[in-house]
Amino acid sequence: MEKKDIDWSSLGFGYVKTDKRYVSNYKDGAWDDGALITDDMITMSECACVLQYAQTVFEGLKAYTTEQGKIVIFRPDLNSDRLESSAARLEMPVLPKGRFVDAVIQTVKANDAYVPPYGTGATLYVRPYMFGSNAVIGVKPATEYQFRVFTTPVGPYFKGGAKPITIKVSDFDRAAPHGTGNIKAGLNYAMSLHAIVTAHKEGFDENMYLDPGTRTKVEETGGANFLFVTKDNKVVTPKSNSILPSITRRSLVYVAKEYLGLEVEEREVYFDEVKDFAECGLCGTAAVISPVGKIVDHGNEICLPSGMNDMGPVTKRLYDTLTGIQMGRIEAPKGWIVEVE
Ligand code: PLP
Ligand code: COI
């Protein structure tokens, strides 16, 4: 396979149309067999449930070229499980077991010329999603659905790559108590658009959302969970039932304990504690681990001791170990890496 002529190292986190995408339709209570197609356009009713009532859920994972030259994906079974719980929450059908991972593998294989080569810093982002496609005008779930997977080669989510970013404490909430913050539904991201545009206008890279019930505890950002490191090298990560259960965060907790021998606390984190942490990072598929250098709460600045130039030392060890596992430099726990080609 000949790679596409792309300047891989200068890719940002944007959409690049690739050759093939996977489509499967659900109708009359059953999924069809699914197929790879070339058409990137979707035609549907003006009254489709997704367009009127935002009935859509999605996932995000990446394909990597390893040091050995293989194409692999990272823990797709967990994306499959999460899509299942997101779909259930929005009254959408689930895919039969195995179909999700199979569709992801087929789509990555069909676009292998777009998987960035090892060492370029870029990866192939994979976006599986599902939406209610038939006309619905009363508020109720659709009866017809489409599941699709597309891919796009990407670079770092934040422009500076591994440079620490500055975030603000948002005045808006992205989730409601007992709402949908714990699933990956488009509606949560629609909720965050005004907040992110506001943050960018004010010169910040991202928002820190606090818990919507009391606004005293740290939740997450618009697209990543938080990881903090205490001055005595403990890893602390917020536990909440209104944040997305990040696969990266769950993997990093394992890496911290089992590979690096660090103590980890998954617990409620009060905003008042943040000033005492030594390091802060945002973790997610897109973000990997993006270091945070400064957190601003209505003019009150918290400057992390790790500074604005480099990742903190513990964050760096976590980053190096996780990406080492993903890129085949470090042996992975059983089942984490699925070979595509
Ligand atoms: N939180 C939000 C709101 C996200 O959109 C994402 C991205 O998927 C994450 C956290 C990180 O989750 P994961 O590590 O599974 O990509
Ligand atoms: C991901 O990390 O996969 C996400 O969906 C986050 C999004 C902000 C791009």
Side-chain angles (χ1 to χ4, degrees):
M1 157 260 311
E2 198 174 319
K3 291 288 177 189
K4 298 283 173 182
D5 183 18
I6 292 173
D7 182 4
W8 307 104
S9 313
S10 46
L11 283 172
F13 196 85
Y15 174 73
V16 174
K17 187 178 139 187
T18 56
D19 294 340
K20 295 278 173 67
R21 61 274 305 124
Y22 180 93
V23 182
S24 182
N25 289 299
Y26 178 92
K27 197 177 173 175
D28 300 325
W31 289 99
D32 68 12
D33 290 341
L36 289 166
I37 62 163
T38 53
D39 191 0
D40 60 319
M41 292 295 164
I42 300 175
T43 305
M44 70 181 118
S45 166
E46 62 188 358
C47 198
C49 198
V50 59
L51 298 178
Q52 302 309 323
Y53 302 126
Q55 195 188 22
T56 178
V57 293
F58 68 101
E59 271 305 322
L61 65 163
K62 282 175 170 171
Y64 308 83
T65 306
T66 65
E67 195 175 37
Q68 300 77 20
K70 291 191 168 19
I71 296 176
V72 301
I73 48 179
F74 184 70
R75 309 190 78 180
D77 51 319
L78 298 187
N79 295 96
S80 175
D81 293 348
R82 195 170 59 187
L83 189 78
E84 215 174 291
S85 50
S86 300
R89 178 68 173 82
L90 295 196
E91 291 295 334
M92 301 167 83
V94 297
L95 286 159
K97 273 276 169 249
R99 283 285 304 276
F100 176 96
V101 175
D102 177 58
V104 168
I105 290 174
Q106 281 194 48
T107 318
V108 172
K109 256 191 193 158
N111 295 293
D112 58 0
Y114 291 92
V115 183
Y118 176 76
T120 57
T123 51
L124 188 74
Y125 185 71
V126 184
R127 174 53 64 85
Y129 60 115
M130 192 196 292
F131 54 89
S133 53
N134 66 298
V136 163
I137 193 70
V139 179
K140 60 181 182 196
T143 52
E144 294 174 18
Y145 293 87
Q146 196 163 92
F147 168 74
R148 297 175 77 104
V149 185
F150 71 77
T151 60
T152 179
V154 295
Y157 190 67
F158 295 103
K159 266 200 241 67
K163 273 262 171 237
I165 58 169
T166 302
I167 65 176
K168 70 168 280 189
V169 176
S170 181
D171 290 322
F172 303 100
D173 296 325
R174 83 175 276 283
H178 316 293
T180 53
N182 61 340
I183 61 159
K184 208 159 167 60
L187 61 95
N188 293 328
Y189 298 79
M191 289 274 282
S192 74
L193 295 176
H194 179 60
I196 192 67
V197 169
T198 305
H200 285 164
K201 269 190 201 148
E202 294 171 357
F204 299 103
D205 299 295
E206 249 296 356
N207 281 299
M208 169 185 272
Y209 292 103
L210 300 181
D211 74 292
T214 68
R215 293 185 145 257
T216 57
K217 289 172 269 184
V218 177
E219 291 259 282
E220 60 175 333
T221 70
N225 284 179
F226 277 104
L227 274 186
F228 298 100
V229 180
T230 62
K231 290 187 177 134
D232 57 354
N233 288 349
K234 253 186 235 152
V235 175
V236 178
T237 184
K239 190 174 180 169
S240 157
N241 55 17
S242 48
I243 66 173
L244 193 76
S246 160
I247 293 162
T248 314
R249 186 245 303 157
R250 286 181 269 164
S251 305
L252 285 167
V253 164
Y254 185 89
V255 163
K257 286 183 189 161
E258 305 299 328
Y259 282 64
L260 304 178
L262 296 169
E263 212 177 302
V264 180
E265 292 177 0
E266 294 182 75
R267 57 165 172 86
E268 292 185 327
V269 175
Y270 284 87
F271 181 69
D272 282 350
E273 297 176 63
V274 170
K275 61 179 185 335
D276 300 322
F277 289 129
E279 300 175 35
C280 171
L282 308 183
C283 65
T285 299
V288 193
I289 312 181
S290 302
V292 175
K294 195 192 284 187
I295 302 167
V296 182
D297 176 26
H298 300 92
N300 181 22
E301 289 191 354
I302 298 172
C303 296
L304 277 300
S306 49
M308 291 305 293
N309 291 318
D310 298 304
M311 256 186 206
V314 175
T315 308
K316 177 90 169 73
R317 288 174 71 202
L318 288 166
Y319 178 92
D320 286 345
T321 312
L322 179 71
T323 53
I325 289 170
Q326 290 165 334
M327 308 279 180
R329 293 186 297 265
I330 295 175
E331 196 178 339
K334 203 165 170 287
W336 279 25
I337 298 294
V338 175
E339 223 174 88
V340 168
E341 206 173 78

